[in-house]
Amino acid sequence: MDTTAAREHESRTVLVRIREARPTLRRSERQVAEVLLDDPVAAANLSITELAERSHTSTTSVVRFYRSVGYTRYQDLRLDLAQEAARERLQTSDLPPVSGDIDQDDTIADIISKIALSETLSISDTAAVLDTEALTAAIHAILRARRVDIFGVGAGSIVGLDLQQKLTRIGLTALMWHDPHAALTTAAVLDEKCVAFAVSHSGTTTDTVDYLTQARARGATTIALTNFSRSPLTAVADIVLLTAARETLFRSGALGSRIAQLTVVDCLFIGIAQASYDQSVTALQQTYSAVRARRIPAE
């Protein structure tokens, strides 16, 4: 990647990396992160001293913060913040201008606008951080597998079921496990010809981590779909597919993560279908005809 391309890549992911790092930061560093995320445009114009004052912390904490998110110079962080904020404004220029989390005084129109903005940016951010090499590896692993076993808890199970239905439609053997005990017993009999796919926004859900750990111990290829690269789940995954969901008070977990995860699932499915084009097209036509045949004819 040349210098210009690398700089553009950094600017496109700066806010994503700050959100991802936030849970692991010290309290003083999280205060800095909150100021930057609340208003990236204003923050990009602040000196280190001004940012420290605005976040009620010290310049030392600001330095620790920007090093924690991968920067060696404060001016590079400021530049990327400005570029990313400008990109977001351009990308959402057709949407109503809204800001902040959903609050008690919002109208229904405000709620619609804020959700539309958040989900548009969640999809865009996920597309920016999604590793094409990891996605390609996941596609090939699933195509080679004799079966794909999928597990997720709560909203993760909804996303897992969507993946299972998509894979089944193109003739692949895919099983979704909703019960943690059933998932563990299944993982215990997998082998190197199988894929174990786990969905967890936080990457810290104990049942999901245990499932992937067991599957990996049996030799299965393990794939994790998560929002955080530094998590217990990624530690036991051979392939990591990252999302960049925008979580807020009212849109935690079940809402914010799902749209980003479904975006990745769609990319994965289309990649698999494209790589097995003839087989997939035939299977899609057959499954469509089977469902269509069940419809009540119009009078």
Side-chain angles (χ1 to χ4, degrees):
M1 184 181 294
D2 59 40
T3 303
T4 302
R7 181 84 261 142
E8 181 180 356
H9 175 75
E10 289 298 310
S11 70
R12 282 182 61 84
T13 61
V14 56
L15 297 179
V16 173
R17 286 189 286 125
I18 292 173
R19 291 189 191 95
E20 182 186 3
R22 183 167 44 180
T24 63
L25 296 175
R26 302 179 184 182
R27 181 178 178 181
S28 59
E29 295 169 19
R30 285 201 302 271
Q31 292 172 207
V32 177
E34 295 298 338
V35 171
L36 300 184
L37 293 173
D38 284 346
D39 194 345
V41 177
N45 294 312
L46 299 176
S47 66
I48 286 185
T49 302
E50 291 169 333
L51 179 56
E53 292 176 352
R54 186 75 61 87
S55 57
H56 306 290
T57 185
S58 65
T59 55
T60 301
S61 294
V62 174
V63 173
R64 281 201 305 259
F65 163 78
Y66 71 67
R67 288 177 177 172
S68 295
V69 294
Y71 289 89
T72 56
R73 302 193 310 164
Y74 179 64
Q75 51 265 48
D76 289 337
L77 172 62
R78 291 177 61 183
L79 176 61
D80 285 353
L81 283 170
Q83 291 180 346
E84 176 65 359
R87 183 187 70 83
E88 286 192 359
R89 284 199 305 271
L90 180 62
Q91 191 169 27
T92 60
S93 59
D94 293 336
L95 297 174
V98 291
S99 61
D101 192 8
I102 297 170
D103 59 51
Q104 191 173 13
D105 297 326
D106 280 341
T107 65
I108 293 298
D110 291 334
I111 292 172
I112 293 171
S113 297
K114 288 184 176 182
I115 289 176
L117 177 64
S118 179
E119 296 199 349
T120 296
L121 293 174
S122 285
I123 293 172
S124 174
D125 288 346
T126 295
V129 304
L130 186 56
D131 186 336
T132 55
E133 291 185 4
L135 184 64
T136 300
I139 290 168
H140 291 161
I142 290 174
L143 282 171
R144 292 193 302 266
R146 66 179 177 85
R147 59 185 276 184
V148 180
D149 289 79
I150 308 164
F151 180 68
V153 174
S157 68
I158 298 172
V159 175
L161 182 60
D162 183 70
L163 175 60
Q164 183 257 323
Q165 291 177 331
K166 282 181 165 65
L167 296 180
T168 300
R169 280 210 65 188
I170 57 174
L172 300 182
T173 302
L175 304 170
M176 173 64 204
W177 301 96
H178 299 272
D179 181 82
H181 290 176
L184 280 175
T185 55
T186 297
V189 296
L190 298 180
D191 57 35
E192 66 279 358
K193 295 181 181 179
C194 301
V195 164
F197 193 102
V199 184
S200 172
H201 171 72
S202 68
T204 60
T205 306
T206 301
D207 289 331
T208 311
V209 175
D210 288 347
Y211 162 72
L212 218 59
T213 301
Q214 181 68 248
R216 193 182 202 187
R218 307 309 297 178
T221 299
T222 53
I223 303 175
L225 176 55
T226 183
N227 205 74
F228 298 95
S229 61
R230 292 175 287 184
S231 66
L233 189 65
T234 60
V236 291
D238 298 311
I239 302 169
V240 177
L241 302 176
L242 287 177
T243 59
R246 297 191 172 212
E247 299 294 353
T248 66
L249 177 63
F250 280 92
R251 289 174 43 77
S252 61
L255 293 177
S257 61
R258 189 180 60 209
I259 188 69
Q261 290 167 350
L262 288 172
T263 297
V264 176
V265 165
D266 282 350
C267 292
L268 180 62
F269 169 70
I270 294 300
I272 292 168
Q274 183 190 52
S276 55
Y277 186 83
D278 292 337
Q279 173 188 328
S280 295
V281 168
T282 299
L284 286 170
Q285 291 172 339
Q286 291 172 338
T287 53
Y288 174 76
S289 296
V291 173
R292 187 178 183 184
R294 299 290 298 169
R295 294 177 182 173
I296 298 175
E299 295 182 358

